[in-house]
Amino acid sequence: MPKVKTLVDGKTYDVAVGTKFLDLCQQQKAKHDFGCTVGSCGVCRLELVEGGANVDPITTDEKDTLALATDHTNARLGCQLVIRGDIAVRPVA
Ligand code: FES
């Protein structure tokens, strides 16, 4: 069972493989900001501090949204993140 650590509050959550990060945050009240929840606003952008290979690959649509939302080169959208293994995340500007 994958472990998800959120560096904002230092908490770690156990999730099933295939869980969406958005669902984890909504169900467990994990601290992370979201806006549209459908991949278009960029509010949920984050950095995978650990486990970058343990999520589904980035899509073209996600890349397009991130290009408008941040200069961070390794950012992902929290609302689009599907968890496949252990990860650690933190928000990015
Ligand atoms: S909440 Fe809008 S892109 Fe993720």
Side-chain angles (χ1 to χ4, degrees), residues 4 13-16 18-30 32 34 37 78-83:
V4 177
Y13 304 87
D14 292 322
V15 301
T19 297
K20 293 181 177 179
F21 182 71
L22 172 65
D23 293 339
L24 161 68
C25 293
Q26 291 178 335
Q27 293 166 6
Q28 301 293 323
K29 309 270 190 264
H32 192 78
F34 291 95
T37 72
C79 70
Q80 302 300 300
L81 212 59
V82 178
I83 302 158

Side-chain angles (χ1 to χ4, degrees), residues 34-44 65 77 79:
F34 291 95
C36 67
T37 72
V38 294
S40 59
C41 73
V43 168
C44 63
T65 296
L77 294 176
C79 70

Side-chain angles (χ1 to χ4, degrees), residues 71-92:
D71 291 332
H72 195 287
T73 54
N74 292 322
R76 295 294 304 267
L77 294 176
C79 70
Q80 302 300 300
L81 212 59
V82 178
I83 302 158
R84 302 294 177 188
D86 294 354
I87 60 172
V89 302
R90 69 177 164 213
V92 297

Side-chain angles (χ1 to χ4, degrees), residues 45-66:
R45 61 193 179 269
L46 53 75
E47 176 185 10
L48 285 156
V49 179
E50 296 173 15
N54 293 336
V55 294
D56 282 2
I58 193 167
T59 65
T60 301
D61 286 346
E62 185 177 352
K63 282 182 187 174
D64 290 347
T65 296
L66 284 165

